[in-house]
Amino acid sequence: MPFSIPSRRAALGIFGASMVAGLTACTAAEGAENSTPVLAPTDTAEPTASATPTPTPSPTATKRIRRSFIPDFQLPPIVGGLAPVITKIPTKHPVVFLTIDDGNIKTPESVRLMAEYDYPASLFLTRDTIADNPAFFNAFKTQGSLVENHTVTHNINMVRQWGYQQQVNDMVGMQEYALQHYGRRPTLFRPPGGAYSNVMRQAVADAGMKAIITWEAKANAGKMDYQVGNSLRPGDIVLMHFRAEFAADLAAFRAAQLAAGLEVVLLEDFLGVV
């Protein structure tokens, strides 16, 4: 399939649905890299008869070269004041998008694994779950992940219980919190529980974001769950959570990703909303 030399900014997407969509409630891989490792250069000079041989330095691990793809679809614009809803990216490229929600459990292991696998991810964080240690997520930001908006309070009934103003206030609160702690206002929104409505789509747009992001596949309880099919497909958006079973969930995702031959690409890069 076609791809380009690094060119990571572009746009695509599909226009989402309208009224409340009851998606799976917002609640939760390991393998080898799909590329040839780059080794550090070694000293290959021949020692002279009178010289002491120079030991060959050990190879040092370096980040693999991540493939970049020219996006083949554009993110739909805000129309009629309503943000688009994206559940899956329609693409011919062999890519998959990892998203991780909430921020309840913060462990060094999760940082280590994401760095080891060199996975960029969209982190849909909730202020009330990360307020005890917001700096923890800077490590993921350094690795290439971005922080997005998952509200201040994580009220899974907000789409039914709250009107426009309460919803937009909750979103804006997280926008400002993310800017304060991570230096960037989120461009993407994930509804707590996954349900959304036209009122929420308007609130998302008015809060300064470009799209609602849902999913059709998730890593949960150490296994993959699919709403469509039984394996990962190009363009899938995968849901995970910062939970105690993070390592098992990431191992399940990694096994599925490698089996499908897909590259983990940052969703914001592919949508052109970094």
Side-chain angles (χ1 to χ4, degrees), residues 8 21 28 35 56 79 92 106 120 138 146 150 161 174 177 182 184 218 262:
R8 301 182 55 186
S35 60
T56 301
V79 176
K92 295 179 180 179
K106 309 166 186 67
N138 282 325
L146 289 178
H150 198 36
Q161 294 178 346
M174 184 58 199
Y177 188 85
Y182 308 112
R184 170 185 174 273
K218 69 176 180 177
L262 302 176

Side-chain angles (χ1 to χ4, degrees), residues 23-90:
L23 298 176
T24 308
C26 182
T27 53
E30 186 165 19
E33 296 292 357
N34 276 336
S35 60
T36 303
V38 180
L39 301 182
T42 58
D43 186 352
T44 57
E46 290 289 338
T48 63
S50 60
T52 301
T54 302
T56 301
S58 300
T60 55
T62 62
K63 276 186 175 292
R64 64 191 174 89
I65 299 174
R66 191 192 309 282
R67 291 179 293 169
S68 294
F69 300 86
I70 298 176
D72 44 6
F73 285 91
Q74 286 191 329
L75 174 67
I78 293 170
V79 176
L82 305 181
V85 181
I86 298 179
T87 299
K88 181 182 182 295
I89 303 298

Side-chain angles (χ1 to χ4, degrees), residues 77-121:
I78 293 170
V79 176
L82 305 181
V85 181
I86 298 179
T87 299
K88 181 182 182 295
I89 303 298
T91 178
K92 295 179 180 179
H93 294 308
V95 297
V96 65
F97 307 98
L98 180 61
T99 67
I100 312 176
D101 282 13
D102 300 344
N104 300 73
I105 304 298
K106 309 166 186 67
T107 65
E109 180 184 39
S110 62
V111 177
R112 178 183 62 78
L113 289 172
M114 290 291 286
E116 179 180 335
Y117 301 151
D118 193 20
Y119 283 162

Side-chain angles (χ1 to χ4, degrees), residues 6-240:
S7 168
R8 301 182 55 186
R9 301 292 184 270
L12 72 138
I14 52 174
F15 189 74
S18 55
M19 303 307 291
V20 174
L23 298 176
T24 308
C26 182
T27 53
E30 186 165 19
E33 296 292 357
N34 276 336
S35 60
T36 303
V38 180
L39 301 182
T42 58
D43 186 352
T44 57
E46 290 289 338
T48 63
S50 60
T52 301
T54 302
T56 301
S58 300
T60 55
T62 62
K63 276 186 175 292
R64 64 191 174 89
I65 299 174
R66 191 192 309 282
R67 291 179 293 169
S68 294
F69 300 86
I70 298 176
D72 44 6
F73 285 91
Q74 286 191 329
L75 174 67
I78 293 170
V79 176
L82 305 181
V85 181
I86 298 179
T87 299
K88 181 182 182 295
I89 303 298
T91 178
K92 295 179 180 179
H93 294 308
V95 297
V96 65
F97 307 98
L98 180 61
T99 67
I100 312 176
D101 282 13
D102 300 344
N104 300 73
I105 304 298
K106 309 166 186 67
T107 65
E109 180 184 39
S110 62
V111 177
R112 178 183 62 78
L113 289 172
M114 290 291 286
E116 179 180 335
Y117 301 151
D118 193 20
Y119 283 162
S122 306
L123 311 181
F124 288 91
L125 303 182
T126 299
R127 190 199 70 182
D128 287 356
T129 63
I130 68 173
D132 60 328
N133 187 12
F136 171 80
F137 298 94
N138 282 325
F140 300 100
K141 179 182 169 185
T142 300
Q143 295 169 7
S145 296
L146 289 178
V147 172
E148 300 295 356
N149 193 319
H150 198 36
T151 75
V152 166
T153 62
H154 202 277
N155 178 5
I156 62 173
N157 296 311
M158 68 185 294
V159 74
R160 292 179 288 274
Q161 294 178 346
W162 290 355
Y164 164 83
Q165 196 59 54
Q166 281 182 293
Q167 291 188 36
V168 78
N169 288 347
D170 204 60
M171 296 172 192
V172 169
M174 184 58 199
Q175 290 291 93
E176 297 307 314
Y177 188 85
L179 177 63
Q180 176 187 355
H181 290 278
Y182 308 112
R184 170 185 174 273
R185 282 190 177 89
T187 58
L188 305 176
F189 178 76
R190 171 157 287 156
Y196 61 89
S197 67
N198 280 346
V199 171
M200 178 177 282
R201 292 172 64 195
Q202 180 185 353
V204 167
D206 291 346
M209 291 175 282
K210 298 182 181 297
I212 291 174
I213 304 298
T214 59
W215 66 91
E216 288 183 347
K218 69 176 180 177
N220 182 51
K223 62 184 180 65
M224 293 297 297
D225 295 330
Y226 302 101
Q227 294 179 22
V228 178
N230 57 9
S231 62
L232 287 177
R233 305 160 298 164
D236 269 339
I237 297 170
V238 178
L239 169 68
M240 259 189 63

